[in-house]
Amino acid sequence: MRAGKIPSDRRFTATHSWLALAPGQSFADYPLRAGVTDTALDEVEVVGLELPAVRSTIEAGAPCALVWTSARTVVTVYAPISGLVTMTNTDAAENPQLVADDPFHRGWLFAVLPSPTSSAYGLLTPAQYANELSEAV
């Protein structure tokens, strides 16, 4: 990771998506922000986003968004959990480079209200994700 620091309040997928979890809250009671890590972007310039529609349903592990890069490549974002998309990041839509410059904060992609059957099971902790990254090198 460019920043060298993996946020402790996130859970990750092996496909480099993240989900922000607030401590002490019930998992499915409120929308959770989701995004893509800078590892997935491999230090390229982001020129466009295709985000899921608000009020659409996404399924854990399924493609849900696209990140277009100046290298003429497309990074597919896979949903970290199943649920209802409640909002998208309009700032990132207007300035897609935010996704690469600040992927864990201002560059989040969308918020999802987890379905009642969703859980954090299968998502990686920051330590597990760091281990995945070190094994991939």
Side-chain angles (χ1 to χ4, degrees), residues 1-136:
M1 306 194 89
R2 275 184 275 159
K5 186 175 179 185
I6 298 173
S8 62
D9 64 342
R10 306 284 195 271
R11 294 296 178 263
F12 301 88
T13 67
T15 56
H16 309 294
S17 298
W18 59 261
L19 183 70
L21 298 178
Q25 302 271 343
S26 179
F27 182 73
D29 286 349
Y30 58 96
L32 305 170
R33 288 187 178 182
V36 64
T37 69
D38 52 357
T39 300
L41 301 176
D42 198 26
E43 299 189 25
V44 295
E45 181 183 354
V46 176
V47 297
L49 300 173
E50 187 175 316
L51 301 175
V54 172
R55 295 191 201 111
S56 66
T57 302
I58 58 175
E59 295 296 323
C64 64
L66 298 173
V67 179
W68 301 89
T69 73
S70 62
R72 298 180 188 205
T73 59
V74 178
V75 175
T76 302
V77 178
Y78 296 89
I81 58 167
S82 299
L84 178 71
V85 176
T86 59
M87 67 187 303
T88 57
N89 185 349
T90 55
D91 291 340
E94 293 171 6
N95 180 9
Q97 187 59 31
L98 280 175
V99 176
D101 292 344
D102 192 9
F104 296 112
H105 301 287
R106 293 178 42 221
W108 62 278
L109 298 177
F110 57 89
V112 58
L113 179 63
S115 65
T117 58
S118 287
S119 76
Y121 180 78
L123 295 176
L124 304 173
T125 66
Q128 291 169 325
Y129 185 65
N131 190 46
E132 288 273 328
L133 293 178
S134 65
E135 289 178 4

